[in-house]
């Protein structure tokens, strides 16, 4: 598994460094386009989230305009962060990883630049569409057809590019990150086109729509964001630490069990609903089986970092990535528990689920994307991060923000769920239980937004090549034991 | 794993299995329903929606009602849906054959609306509630849907469609609040929501 560091005997380390630098440089424009737009949508998504959250605290806020009503701002937030931020950040990271792991400079970058343009026009049209009343009210697929079509075109271009990259890869070992990326890039277009055709372009009867909707919704997390997040963690953790992944066989087991079980999870969002019992049961079983890939990956990552936890003190990349990888385990174990019918009956239809979604998409995926950006951008731009202090502020604001958000939504959701379960408690009382927690959620949202603004400032300064020229990476610690992390590593 | 074809085929087959189970099966078995004629009453169940209610379905989607309201009465043993009076029986797939998109929902910040038309059959109640939710339902955090209503100057007589606001009524003197076509459509849809009709596959549970 040390293959990523291996090279034929004839290649000197100096030559290898130069080659890596050339590969990095070849990814510059596409990576900056996807990353830059991702950060823009992260800010827009945060503002929409804050507005939606404040509206639950104070429902009369800005209620005179239809385009700012809660039922539109909330899906606009979700789609801005899912497609505008997380997907674009994931694509940007994947492009760079593919070039690095295929050990070849990025080819056909025009395809990717075109894709980035289509993608962003699609997201913009989609968000404006939702706010202006064209939203479809199909969770995770709210974009009207004119927007989802643009995303599909963009994704088609990316898939063509990915196939070309794999064709021209340098022969040899295929690293675990590549399995995940290849899978994600095959799964997502299939997923997105099937769901859009059956729900939006040629909608089937309502009775079948719920199943397709949650097959899509859950697999977007499980077969799109999760593989990209894990591919990134599998690359960055060994890379920053300079040691190989603990076990090749655990990687294989984790990959195939995820592919098989995750894809069957979706119906646990419909427990008790108007569906055949076997369909729901199959998903509950598959959800519980997720224990295998989750624990396998957790052990594999933990054993890789073990003995090197002090590195979290100095490396921003590693701190964000390991935070994310740990939250992957947490989010997955929580997800498994929520699929068990006797617990689902409490958490279903409550803010507990919203907390869980943020633990997955934010504490796991978004944190790993931040880690990846801290690693990749200096290599692509050829400039180090201007300020360790800004990175430190970013980390603590978002780490405390997301921790607080998950805790308050979990507690508020449990109280709400227990109250809903008891028919002697009035419905209004179940709502009253949530109110103080929803207020605290708004506070946590402010922390996250502040963190995102700090990150956006840092990101802009890096692109402008602000600050002093540095020969060494920007690290947190000033302590003596920090290890050098050369730019071309 | 250094063989690309093995990875590609494996990735394809694992995903195909869920596509067959969770997409193809529902496509052929949950989305091909026809209505049932009740032998005793001659009613067609589920009943077709009026044109106005069908438009209201789209207003419901456009306003994003699903982010707080579900439309499903769960099976016995799953929560207090029946005990809360949200329906006389659990809902089944056929109940949703005329819904597109389907509004099953995943959140209950507000109550379930599967049978809201049976609980609140009055159109005026719905207009009042949409316009001033916290007045009609104290403690509610539902936003006002004021944007679906017009504040119109009364010329001559007050118009018949104008809604009777409850105090506090902040409408300026000489003006009235009139529902737009979209508000009328939304209310027609809400009033139509009554799935307490009998279906052969969904017997009412014993009381």
């Amino acid at each position: 598994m040390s293959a990523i560091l291996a090279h034929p005997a004839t290649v000197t380390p100096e030559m290898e460094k130069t080659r890596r630098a050339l590969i990095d440089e070849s990814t510059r424009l596409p990576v900056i386009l996807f990353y830059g737009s991702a950060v823009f949508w992260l800010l827009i998504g945060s503002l929409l989230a804050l507005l939606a959250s404040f509206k639950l605290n104070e429902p009369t806020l800005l209620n005179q305009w239809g385009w700012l009503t809660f039922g539109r701002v909330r899906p606009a937030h979700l789609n801005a962060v899912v497609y505008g931020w997380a997907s674009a950040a994931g694509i940007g990271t994947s492009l760079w990883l593919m070039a690095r792991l295929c050990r070849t400079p990025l080819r056909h970058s025009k395809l990717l630049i075109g894709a980035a343009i289509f993608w962003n026009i699609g997201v913009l049209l989609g968000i404006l569409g939702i706010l202006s009343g064209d939203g479809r009210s199909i969770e995770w697929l709210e974009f009207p057809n004119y927007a989802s079509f643009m995303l599909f075109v963009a994704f088609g271009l990316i898939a063509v590019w990915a196939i070309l990259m794999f064709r021209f890869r340098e022969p040899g070992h295929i690293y675990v990150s590549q399995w995940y990326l290849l899978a994600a890039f095959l799964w997502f277009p299939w997923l997105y086109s099937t769901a859009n055709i059956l729900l939006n372009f040629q909608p089937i009867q309502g009775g079948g729509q719920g199943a397709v909707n949650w097959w899509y919704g859950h697999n977007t997390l499980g077969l799109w964001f999760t593989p990209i997040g894990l591919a990134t963690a599998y690359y960055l953790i060994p890379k920053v630490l300079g040691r190989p992944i603990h076990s090749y066989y655990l990687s294989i087991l984790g990959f195939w069990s995820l592919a098989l079980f995750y894809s069957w999870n979706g119906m646990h969002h419909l427990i008790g609903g108007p569906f055949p019992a076997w369909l729901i049961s199959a998903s509950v079983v598959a959800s519980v089986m997720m224990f295998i890939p989750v624990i396998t990956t957790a052990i594999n990552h933990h054993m890789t970092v073990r003995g090197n936890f002090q590195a979290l003190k100095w490396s921003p990349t590693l701190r964000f990535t390991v935070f994310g990888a740990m939250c992957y385990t947490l989010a997955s174990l929580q997800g498994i528990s929520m699929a068990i019918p006797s617990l689902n009956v409490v958490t279903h239809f409550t803010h507990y689920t919203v907390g869980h979604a943020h633990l997955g998409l934010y504490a796991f995926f978004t944190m790993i994307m931040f880690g990846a950006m801290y690693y990749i951008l200096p290599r692509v731009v050829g400039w180090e991060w201007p300020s360790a202090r800004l990175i430190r502020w970013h980390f603590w604001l978002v780490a405390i923000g997301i921790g607080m958000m998950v805790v308050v939504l979990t507690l508020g959701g449990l109280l709400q769920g227990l109250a809903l379960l008891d028919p002697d408690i009035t419905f209004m009382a179940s709502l009253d239980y949530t109110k103080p927690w929803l207020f605290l959620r708004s506070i946590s949202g402010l922390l996250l937004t502040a963190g995102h603004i700090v990150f956006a400032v840092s990101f802009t300064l890096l692109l402008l090549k602000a600050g002093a020229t540095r020969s060494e990476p920007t690290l947190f610690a000033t302590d003596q034991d920090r290890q050098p992390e050369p730019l071309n590593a | 794993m250094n063989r690309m074809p093995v990875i590609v085929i494996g990735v394809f087959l694992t995903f195909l299995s869920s596509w067959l189970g969770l997409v193809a099966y529902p496509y052929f078995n949950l989305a091909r329903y026809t209505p049932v004629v009740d032998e005793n009453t001659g009613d067609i169940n589920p009943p077709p929606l009026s044109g106005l209610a069908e438009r209201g379905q789209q207003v419901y989607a456009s306003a994003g009602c699903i982010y707080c309201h579900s439309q499903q009465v769960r099976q016995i043993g799953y929560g207090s849906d029946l005990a809360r009076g949200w329906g006389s029986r659990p809902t089944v797939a056929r109940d949703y054959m005329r819904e597109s998109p389907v509004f099953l929902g995943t959140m209950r910040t507000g109550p379930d609306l599967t049978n809201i038309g049976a609980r609140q059959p009055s159109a005026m109640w719905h207009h009042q509630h949409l316009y001033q939710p916290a007045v009609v339902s104290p403690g509610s955090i539902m936003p006002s849907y004021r944007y679906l209503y017009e504040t119109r100057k009364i010329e001559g007589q007050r118009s018949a469609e104008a809604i009777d606001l409850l105090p506090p009524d902040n409408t300026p003197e000489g003006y009235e609040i009139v529902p737009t076509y979209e508000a009328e459509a939304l209310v027609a849809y809400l009033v139509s929501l009554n799935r307490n009709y009998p279906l052969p596959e969904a017997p009412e549970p014993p009381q």
Side-chain angles (χ1 to χ4, degrees):
Chain A
M1 254 311 74
S2 57
I4 51 162
L5 302 170
H7 39 71
T10 50
V11 182
T12 66
E14 276 313 308
M15 287 164 71
E16 187 63 24
K17 263 189 185 176
T18 313
R19 184 161 75 154
R20 274 202 292 263
L22 285 174
I23 292 175
D24 289 347
E25 201 191 305
S26 73
T27 67
R28 181 179 293 158
L29 191 54
V31 167
I32 290 177
L33 273 177
F34 275 103
Y35 273 4
S37 61
V39 173
F40 170 77
W41 288 114
L42 178 66
L43 292 178
I44 300 290
S46 308
L47 294 179
L48 291 165
L50 279 181
L51 182 57
S53 187
F54 292 159
K55 278 171 169 279
L56 289 181
N57 308 139
E58 180 44 63
T60 58
L61 179 72
L62 299 175
N63 69 359
Q64 59 271 53
W65 298 299
W67 51 280
L68 288 183
T69 192
F70 175 82
R72 294 185 188 171
V73 175
R74 183 207 179 279
H77 153 66
L78 183 135
N79 285 275
V81 296
V82 164
Y83 299 102
W85 154 252
S87 292
I91 293 170
T93 304
S94 305
L95 304 179
W96 183 84
L97 283 175
M98 294 264 255
R100 272 277 183 118
L101 289 167
C102 293
R103 292 183 287 278
T104 173
L106 189 141
R107 289 157 196 271
H108 309 292
S109 62
K110 283 197 183 109
L111 283 175
L112 294 175
I113 293 163
I117 292 168
F118 270 101
W119 190 271
N120 280 292
I121 294 174
V123 174
L124 180 69
L125 287 176
I127 301 295
L128 292 176
I130 291 171
L131 292 178
S132 66
D134 282 351
R136 296 279 298 142
S137 271
I138 298 171
E139 286 190 77
W140 294 74
L141 284 168
E142 285 92 347
F143 278 174
N145 291 351
Y146 48 80
S148 46
F149 181 73
M150 300 293 269
L151 292 194
F152 189 76
V153 170
F155 210 89
L157 292 173
I158 296 169
V160 168
W161 169 86
I163 292 164
L164 288 173
M165 278 300 275
F166 267 101
R167 263 184 65 87
F168 289 108
R169 78 181 197 283
E170 193 175 273
H173 190 80
I174 305 179
Y175 184 61
V176 48
S177 296
Q178 283 169 292
W179 314 339
Y180 280 109
L181 292 179
L182 185 63
F185 277 63
L186 290 174
W187 284 328
F188 189 72
W190 188 351
L191 195 57
Y192 194 67
S193 54
T194 299
N196 266 304
I197 289 168
L198 297 183
L199 299 176
N200 282 327
F201 287 86
Q202 286 292 324
I204 59 171
Q205 271 187 12
Q209 286 188 12
V212 179
N213 189 178
W214 286 107
W215 172 79
Y216 175 81
H218 200 86
N219 282 343
T220 308
L221 269 171
L223 300 181
W224 172 234
F225 292 121
T226 300
I228 292 178
L230 292 182
T232 311
Y234 264 116
Y235 185 86
L236 291 177
I237 293 174
K239 197 72 171 165
V240 174
L241 291 175
R243 59 202 311 245
I245 281 290
H246 170 68
S247 161
Y248 178 66
Y249 296 99
L250 284 181
S251 312
I252 295 185
L253 178 62
F255 177 75
W256 288 116
S257 53
L258 177 128
L260 183 61
F261 298 129
Y262 225 142
S263 59
W264 275 86
N265 269 215
M267 303 304 111
H268 68 213
H269 291 265
L270 300 165
I271 293 175
F275 297 90
W278 75 264
L279 206 63
I280 308 274
S281 302
S283 274
V284 172
V285 172
S287 306
V288 174
M289 296 301 277
M290 278 304 293
F291 195 72
I292 298 171
V294 169
I295 287 302
T296 312
T297 308
I299 293 172
N300 217 2
H301 286 163
H302 180 82
M303 296 301 280
T304 307
V305 186
R306 201 170 74 147
N308 287 279
F309 278 99
Q310 78 284 359
L312 298 181
K313 276 203 309 207
W314 55 263
S315 166
T317 295
L318 199 66
R319 194 187 287 180
F320 277 95
T321 308
V322 169
F323 185 102
M326 286 176 165
C327 289
Y328 169 64
T329 313
L330 270 182
S332 306
L333 294 179
Q334 188 193 30
I336 293 170
S337 73
M338 290 164 73
I340 296 168
S342 54
L343 296 176
N344 177 275
V345 82
V346 180
T347 63
H348 198 28
F349 299 125
T350 73
H351 293 285
Y352 189 97
T353 316
V354 182
H356 172 66
H358 285 88
L359 186 58
L361 201 62
Y362 197 101
F364 157 48
F365 186 78
T366 292
M367 291 302 262
I368 287 188
M369 285 303 113
F370 286 142
M373 287 180 170
Y374 280 121
Y375 190 85
I376 293 169
L377 271 168
R379 287 163 173 79
V380 168
V381 178
W383 196 259
E384 291 296 345
W385 290 94
S387 158
R389 176 176 293 181
L390 285 179
I391 306 179
R392 201 176 293 120
W393 271 98
H394 174 212
F395 179 80
W396 288 111
L397 281 168
V398 298
I400 294 170
I402 191 61
M404 177 176 171
M405 179 178 287
V406 173
V407 169
V408 300
L409 287 175
T410 300
L411 294 176
L414 280 176
L415 291 175
Q416 181 190 11
L418 290 170
L420 279 173
L421 211 49
D422 181 352
D424 294 332
I425 298 179
T426 61
F427 182 84
M428 206 49 91
S430 79
L431 175 63
D432 285 337
Y433 279 120
T434 65
K435 287 176 183 172
W437 304 99
L438 291 178
F439 176 76
L440 292 174
R441 193 265 299 270
S442 291
I443 308 282
S444 70
L446 283 169
L447 290 176
L448 288 175
T449 307
H452 299 157
I453 292 170
V454 170
F455 179 62
V457 168
S458 200
F459 185 95
T460 312
L461 290 176
L462 175 83
L463 288 190
L464 298 173
K465 300 195 173 182
T469 314
R470 292 166 188 266
S471 58
E472 278 193 6
T474 312
L475 303 174
F476 288 135
T478 48
D479 47 356
Q480 297 304 308
D481 64 351
R482 80 170 193 212
Q483 297 167 25
E485 183 190 13
L487 195 62
N488 293 331
Chain B
M1 288 207 300
N2 288 330
R3 288 162 185 269
M4 185 70 76
V6 175
I7 302 176
V8 172
I9 291 168
V11 155
F12 177 80
L13 289 179
T14 48
F15 193 65
L16 181 69
S17 74
S18 84
W19 187 84
L20 290 173
L22 306 184
V23 176
Y25 175 85
Y27 179 79
F28 288 112
N29 293 283
L30 300 176
R32 298 271 167 113
Y33 281 104
T34 48
V36 179
V37 180
D38 188 322
E39 285 177 14
N40 301 320
T41 59
D43 290 345
I44 296 171
N45 295 321
L49 287 177
S50 72
L52 189 62
E54 227 169 78
R55 173 75 193 112
Q57 220 171 19
Q58 303 315 317
V59 179
Y60 190 98
S62 150
C65 305
I66 66 152
Y67 300 102
C68 292
H69 296 280
S70 59
Q71 282 194 36
Q72 51 177 312
V73 178
R74 282 177 295 173
Q75 316 286 326
I76 295 156
Y78 293 93
S80 61
D81 301 12
L82 288 168
R84 283 188 185 278
W86 284 345
S88 61
R89 60 168 175 84
T91 48
V92 293
R94 195 193 305 267
D95 287 316
Y96 302 93
M97 59 169 284
R98 300 187 197 278
E99 301 282 334
S100 185
V102 71
F103 302 125
L104 293 170
T106 52
M107 181 54 108
R108 285 178 174 168
T109 304
D112 185 84
L113 300 182
T114 310
N115 296 300
I116 186 64
R119 296 204 296 282
Q120 299 289 356
S122 150
M124 185 53 82
W125 183 91
H126 283 286
H127 282 303
Q128 289 168 337
H129 182 243
L130 287 168
Y131 193 81
Q132 32 178 206
V135 175
V136 174
S137 178
S140 164
I141 57 170
M142 183 166 114
S144 162
Y145 288 86
R146 288 161 55 185
Y147 69 90
L148 293 176
Y149 293 83
E150 273 172 37
T151 307
R152 209 156 63 187
K153 199 172 165 88
I154 304 178
E155 297 192 356
Q157 271 213 312
R158 195 168 172 274
S159 49
E161 320 86 76
I163 59 174
D164 311 322
L165 289 178
L166 304 172
D169 177 356
N170 299 324
T171 319
E173 194 62 40
Y175 284 81
E176 60 184 3
I177 306 297
V178 185
T180 59
Y181 174 69
E182 293 198 314
E184 296 283 14
L186 178 60
V187 168
Y189 174 65
L190 292 172
V191 169
S192 81
L193 287 175
N194 181 354
R195 289 153 172 142
N196 287 328
Y197 48 78
L199 284 182
E201 70 269 37
E204 284 198 14
Q207 292 302 309

